């Protein structure tokens, strides 16, 4: 169990720029989740993949957000035309043994 | 609808004293329940889960939690707190009948243990 890894750990970008985050889940886990966490809040669900299929998207995921998991392994989350309100910690998790295994997150700051 | 309430934003205890972090939940079916801990600028670390069986669940680092179906609660406890337990704690729930595996989290409780 090498754990869930996320890259980058931190990203600072200017408003209007596009950003992309990567998540590598635990290799034998089929289910992958993206969550967003803002200050003072618990993680909020964004989207979920079973293998390469995106099965659910939260209404929090506006048209500027897109997620992919092309080969059923790693996943990417892209935010286009970033806004200051996108500043948050973006957490990836994979499901195994009835529980979510989280990565350390990508902290996005939009200036 | 599924939701989790953590009624206390902060809990402060002295080292060596018992601690309790409260959690109540609402699900449409039977729940899976979880506690996670988060240290600054880190992801969430799993502490313990209730899936089925004994209502008292023991987890990592000496923590335990008791599932109370009638009160829809899943409070986190530890008999003797350590300064190193200071962190942000999240309770989470999943509907047992859901095939999606999605967790719903509370807002978190900041635990501070002073020496």
């Amino acid at each position: 169990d090498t754990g869930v890894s996320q890259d980058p750990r931190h990203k600072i970008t200017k408003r209007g720029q596009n950003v992309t985050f990567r998540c590598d889940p635990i290799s034998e886990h089929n289910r992958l989740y993206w969550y967003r966490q803002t200050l003072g809040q618990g993680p909020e669900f964004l989207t979920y993949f079973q293998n390469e299929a995106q099965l659910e998207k939260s209404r929090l995921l506006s048209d500027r957000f897109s997620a992919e998991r092309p080969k059923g392994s790693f996943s990417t989350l892209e935010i286009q035309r970033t806004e200051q309100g996108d500043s948050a910690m973006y957490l990836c998790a994979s499901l195994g043994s009835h529980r979510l295994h989280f990565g350390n997150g990508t902290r996005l700051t939009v200036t | 609808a599924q939701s989790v309430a953590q009624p206390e934003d902060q809990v402060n205890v002295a080292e060596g004293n018992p601690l309790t972090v409260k959690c109540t939940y609402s699900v449409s079916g039977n729940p899976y329940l979880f506690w996670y801990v988060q240290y600054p600028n880190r992801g969430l670390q799993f502490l313990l889960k209730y899936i089925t069986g004994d209502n008292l669940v023991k987890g990592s680092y000496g923590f335990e939690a008791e599932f109370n179906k009638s009160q829809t609660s899943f409070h986190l406890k530890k008999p003797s707190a350590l300064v190193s337990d200071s962190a942000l704690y999240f309770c989470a729930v999943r509907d047992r009948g859901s095939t999606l595996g999605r967790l719903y989290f509370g807002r978190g409780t900041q635990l501070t243990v002073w020496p």
Side-chain angles (χ1 to χ4, degrees), chain B residues 4-110:
Chain B
V4 175
Q6 294 182 240
E8 302 157 316
D9 290 338
Q10 293 189 2
V11 170
N12 300 310
V13 298
E15 188 173 33
N17 283 1
L19 70 87
T20 299
V21 183
K22 296 180 180 177
C23 171
T24 59
Y25 65 90
S26 173
V27 294
S28 54
N30 291 316
Y32 291 151
L33 293 157
F34 304 82
W35 277 100
Y36 283 83
V37 60
Q38 187 177 35
Y39 296 95
N41 294 312
R42 301 296 295 272
L44 276 68
Q45 296 180 25
F46 172 78
L47 279 181
L48 51 79
K49 64 185 178 185
Y50 170 79
I51 301 298
T52 188
D54 194 349
N55 288 346
L56 183 64
V57 178
K58 295 188 182 297
S60 306
Y61 312 118
F63 284 94
E64 60 187 28
E66 185 165 13
F67 169 57
N68 187 318
K69 187 173 183 177
S70 63
Q71 297 185 1
T72 61
S73 68
F74 191 57
H75 302 330
L76 182 70
K77 299 183 179 184
K78 187 173 182 180
S80 179
L82 299 173
V83 172
S84 58
D85 293 330
S86 299
L88 188 56
Y89 289 81
F90 291 98
C91 182
V93 66
R94 170 188 161 191
D95 186 343
R96 187 185 298 261
S98 169
T99 58
L100 299 178
R102 171 182 175 182
L103 289 187
Y104 294 82
F105 286 87
R107 290 184 56 174
T109 298
Q110 180 66 50

Side-chain angles (χ1 to χ4, degrees), chain A residues 43-80:
Chain A
E44 297 172 294
F45 171 80
L46 291 179
T47 191
Y48 151 66
F49 289 85
Q50 170 113 7
N51 299 311
E52 67 275 10
Q54 188 173 19
L55 297 185
E56 187 182 4
K57 293 195 295 185
S58 164
R59 63 180 181 275
L60 293 175
L61 215 64
S62 75
D63 291 345
R64 297 184 297 104
F65 288 71
S66 63
E68 295 182 342
R69 195 182 183 197
K71 298 181 179 179
S73 55
F74 73 92
S75 176
T76 58
L77 178 67
E78 181 183 16
I79 309 174
Q80 296 182 329

